[in-house]
Amino acid sequence: MRDESKPAYLEQLTTRLRERDAVIGIVGLGYVGLPLTLRYAEAGFRVLGIDIDGDKVDRLNRGESYLRHIATTDLARARANGFEATTDFSRADEADALIICVPTPLGAYREPDLSFVLGTTDALLPFMRPGQVLSLESTTYPGTTDEELKPRLESRGFVIGRDVFLVFSPEREDPGNPDFHTRTIPKVCGGVTPACLEAGVALYSPAIDRVVPVSSTRAAELTKLLENIHRAVNIGLVNEMKIIADRMRIDIHEVIRAAATKPFGFTPYYPGPGLGGHCIPIDPFYLTWKAREYGLHTRFIELAGEINSDMPHWVVGKLVDALNSRGKAVMGSRVLVLGIAYKKDVEDMRESPSVELMEILRDKGAVVDYSDPHVPVFPRMREHRFDLRSVELTPQRIASYDIVLLATAHSAFDYDLVRQYATLIVDTRGVYTAPLPNVVQA
């Protein structure tokens, strides 16, 4: 018997989701969208993937994975369960749920760039129909769902919470993390109305072990920002501690390892050559930008951002000092950068501090090469250009460089080989724990 207190479309939608009879549309098949696609297919749903990249769509429809941490066998299973990718946005009306997983970068003046989110929403709108739930997963400032997506849906004549349902549920993907997967990472979800929230919980519950409802889309949007700002601020703290420890001739990595033995009240964060990835270097600026609308200045967050942004220059300064100690100038020196992905054991280049290091060194006249088993050819990037291929690490090749800059500590590197044959090493990741005559910690 139908629950008369529920909007008819909501009851129909939640029933289809509960019975796994709904079609899930994932818009944006990248680092967030593709794992989510596989999870819904694994949970028994037919999934329609939509992406503007025709080459990516063709590869997926051939059963080829383009992400290192996504196995081709997993993709093959999804295809067998009915997953299909398309560039045709008009097929959005086939889906009962549309989940937007597109980038939210920063503009030229470090202001939020919502062009991908808004462009995607506008491309879907002509083909949306009553009875659908639309979920935004892209990280953004509080108010985006209410202020940008809601009016667009209403412009089509939809009543939010009766005809269509609008939610925000931030992504929490961590590529390459073997301990947590899409299914096991709790899913925060906020709705524009109570009916929207009910639709959002019904959408994610069959695929995610735990759904965490919150009171509004704004609370869900701020939750994601808090998670990443928490990391950015603590990394900023430990990066500043690294500079202090270096001046005092103390190994900050030894100090962190010792502090981490405390069983309460301390969480270890580790310094590096700068912040990378799509979230931590970008998300704080979404909040600082929005806070100005309320007359607030986020001093603490911006200070951490300033420290983290300065780290590549500090690392290059250590490299220059290391070369000077051997009587060499940085201009004309041959530098090998180990690891250009933004984090260990992934191919993800988004906001990688390694690329900034390479550019600073190139601008100073160094001859720069790189070695990264996960990035065989330097990719096309919006703001960075290098015509380079990954260098194979052989004794002769390592010895041919004036200095090796260890920027990303991939497991595949033979660090003993590097230590044995490198003239100088600048270690930004604390790989070499014992004092060595050719290793400089940075």
Side-chain angles (χ1 to χ4, degrees):
M1 179 179 296
R2 192 175 88 79
D3 184 351
E4 296 294 338
S5 65
K6 277 189 182 183
Y9 286 124
L10 177 61
E11 185 169 14
Q12 294 166 12
L13 175 63
T14 55
T15 298
R16 287 174 64 82
L17 288 165
R18 184 173 60 251
E19 295 177 354
R20 289 169 167 74
D21 190 37
V23 177
I24 308 298
I26 309 289
V27 190
L29 298 171
Y31 286 93
V32 174
L34 190 54
L36 195 61
T37 292
L38 300 184
R39 176 59 201 137
Y40 272 106
E42 182 183 45
F45 289 89
R46 184 167 79 84
V47 183
L48 178 67
I50 303 175
D51 200 286
I52 61 173
D53 187 335
D55 291 338
K56 182 187 295 184
V57 164
D58 290 341
R59 289 186 66 177
L60 291 173
N61 284 333
R62 290 195 302 267
E64 299 176 7
S65 174
Y66 55 89
L67 297 179
R68 179 179 174 272
H69 64 288
I70 300 292
T72 298
T73 52
D74 293 337
L75 189 57
R77 279 196 294 271
R79 291 282 292 145
N81 290 338
F83 164 60
E84 177 189 0
T86 182
T87 58
D88 185 359
F89 277 71
S90 70
R91 296 186 61 188
D93 66 348
E94 299 175 25
D96 298 285
L98 292 165
I99 303 176
I100 297 176
C101 308
V102 297
T104 44
L106 293 171
Y109 301 101
R110 304 196 78 74
E111 78 284 2
D113 178 1
L114 295 181
S115 59
F116 293 101
V117 169
L118 301 184
T120 298
T121 304
D122 291 341
L124 293 170
L125 273 177
F127 312 106
M128 289 188 65
R129 56 170 173 79
Q132 290 178 310
V133 55
L134 177 66
S135 176
L136 177 60
E137 293 212 358
S138 308
T139 305
T140 186
Y141 58 81
T144 300
T145 308
D146 284 340
E147 297 166 4
E148 299 290 349
L149 271 61
K150 181 174 178 282
R152 283 170 162 78
L153 290 171
E154 291 173 334
S155 72
R156 284 282 321 279
F158 294 128
V159 176
I160 308 296
R162 186 193 73 186
D163 304 326
V164 296
F165 308 95
L166 180 58
V167 302
F168 182 82
S169 181
E171 59 88 5
R172 279 176 163 173
E173 284 295 322
D174 188 15
N177 188 327
D179 299 321
F180 299 99
H181 307 281
T182 304
R183 178 180 65 82
T184 60
I185 300 171
K187 201 83 172 74
V188 171
C189 184
V192 171
T193 70
C196 291
L197 178 58
E198 185 175 345
V201 171
L203 167 61
Y204 287 110
S205 292
I208 310 298
D209 288 350
R210 182 186 176 202
V211 178
V212 182
V214 294
S215 62
S216 66
T217 56
R218 291 173 182 250
E221 288 159 343
L222 187 56
T223 297
K224 174 63 175 179
L225 293 182
L226 175 60
E227 292 169 6
N228 287 333
I229 290 169
H230 166 83
R231 294 174 65 193
V233 166
N234 280 281
I235 291 170
L237 170 64
V238 80
N239 275 332
E240 187 168 57
M241 290 290 291
K242 174 175 72 171
I243 295 170
I244 295 169
D246 180 78
R247 186 66 61 88
M248 296 179 173
R249 299 186 183 279
I250 300 170
D251 181 353
I252 188 61
H253 292 277
E254 179 187 9
V255 171
I256 294 170
R257 288 193 296 270
T261 63
K262 184 180 180 181
F264 53 88
F266 181 83
T267 300
Y269 288 84
Y270 298 93
L275 290 182
H278 179 63
C279 291
I280 302 179
I282 292 174
D283 294 355
F285 291 97
Y286 271 70
L287 185 61
T288 57
W289 179 85
K290 188 65 174 178
R292 294 189 197 109
E293 181 181 317
Y294 295 85
L296 299 173
H297 179 44
T298 54
R299 292 173 295 170
F300 200 76
I301 297 170
E302 291 177 51
L303 177 59
E306 180 183 325
I307 293 168
N308 291 326
S309 296
D310 284 346
M311 290 315 299
H313 293 276
W314 186 81
V315 168
V316 169
K318 294 289 291 184
L319 182 145
V320 170
D321 289 344
L323 286 171
N324 283 342
S325 71
R326 301 294 179 95
K328 292 194 69 69
V330 67
M331 179 173 286
S333 289
R334 288 170 48 79
V335 181
L336 178 64
V337 178
L338 287 191
I340 63 169
Y342 89 87
K343 65 178 287 191
K344 177 179 179 179
D345 296 343
V346 302
E347 76 276 33
D348 194 345
M349 291 284 294
R350 293 175 297 176
E351 307 295 327
S352 174
S354 301
V355 180
E356 186 173 355
L357 290 167
M358 293 169 69
E359 289 186 332
I360 297 170
L361 290 166
R362 182 177 62 183
D363 291 345
K364 290 182 177 293
V367 179
V368 181
D369 285 324
Y370 82 90
S371 181
D372 193 315
H374 307 303
V375 190
V377 178
F378 195 95
R380 289 180 297 174
M381 302 181 75
R382 290 198 302 168
E383 298 178 358
H384 311 287
R385 288 176 177 82
F386 283 90
D387 185 16
L388 294 173
R389 301 182 69 89
S390 178
V391 168
E392 183 182 357
L393 294 182
T394 64
Q396 296 77 15
R397 178 74 68 148
I398 295 168
S400 71
Y401 291 94
D402 296 299
I403 196 163
V404 173
L405 174 56
L406 201 172
T408 307
H410 292 312
S411 300
F413 289 138
D414 185 339
Y415 294 107
D416 286 336
L417 182 75
V418 174
R419 174 192 54 77
Q420 185 176 355
Y421 291 98
T423 302
L424 270 174
I425 301 168
V426 173
D427 178 7
T428 71
R429 298 292 182 177
V431 168
Y432 298 103
T433 56
L436 295 166
N438 62 337
V439 175
V440 174
Q441 297 291 340

